[in-house]
Amino acid sequence: MEDKNYLQDISDIRNMMSRSTQFMSLSGLSGVLAGGYALVGAYAADTALDRMGDGYDQPLGKLTFLLAGIAAMVALLSLVTAVALSYRKATRKGETIWSPVSRRLLVNFLIPLVTGGAFIVQLVLNRDFGLVAPSVMIFYGLSCVNASKYTLRDVRWLGVTIVAIGLLAVSFPTLAVPFLAVGLGATHILYGLLMYLRYERN
């Protein structure tokens, strides 16, 4: 009986230490939905490119702003969904979504992301369109890897997978949209579902 109590005490201590260093309320369902948004965005971008041309021989203008708008909408929907579902999960567990750990998570996620955003703007201005999609995936994947030490370890492997797909996409600039659909759509759905089944289903 004492041994069982001792093991339970150890388990409780480990859980408390984990909660103090990691944000555990990240919702797997938000990843699934983010993947769905990315697939819809990829379809919308592909449709726009078919109707208006690939943009390589066009001045920066309507097509560029349209694609940027699609990307911004996908990012905004994904962010709102992640915050809403994570807030619901944290509330159910009696935790707060805004804490020193979640702030460190956010900062570590944003550093590579903002850096990548500035880099991608320069690519667009220099008309290096073929590197835009790979750069989006590489910097976003690095953001996930950098932030993963403050949340579920599955996020690290999500980031590594997206970085690998982004690096592969560098060699296939004409397949930017399909690579984005796989790198940001399918991977989020897969890892989000795995996270949900592993941590949230019960």
Side-chain angles (χ1 to χ4, degrees), residues 70-88:
I70 293 171
M73 183 60 68
V74 170
L76 179 61
L77 287 172
S78 299
L79 176 62
V80 171
T81 301
V83 171
L85 293 183
S86 295
Y87 176 79
R88 186 181 70 171

Side-chain angles (χ1 to χ4, degrees), residues 42-55 58 63 67 177:
Y43 175 78
D46 190 53
T47 301
L49 290 170
D50 286 342
R51 292 181 177 179
M52 303 176 66
D54 57 21
Q58 299 180 18
L63 179 61
L67 295 178
V177 173

Side-chain angles (χ1 to χ4, degrees), residues 8 13 20 29 45 50 52 62 69 79 104 106 111 117 122 135 147 150 157 163 165 172 174 191:
Q8 182 62 44
I13 292 172
S20 67
L29 287 179
D50 286 342
M52 303 176 66
K62 186 176 181 180
L79 176 62
R104 288 194 292 270
L106 182 62
I111 290 173
Q122 293 300 315
S135 297
Y150 296 109
W157 294 111
V163 169
I165 295 172
F172 303 94
T174 59
Y191 278 93

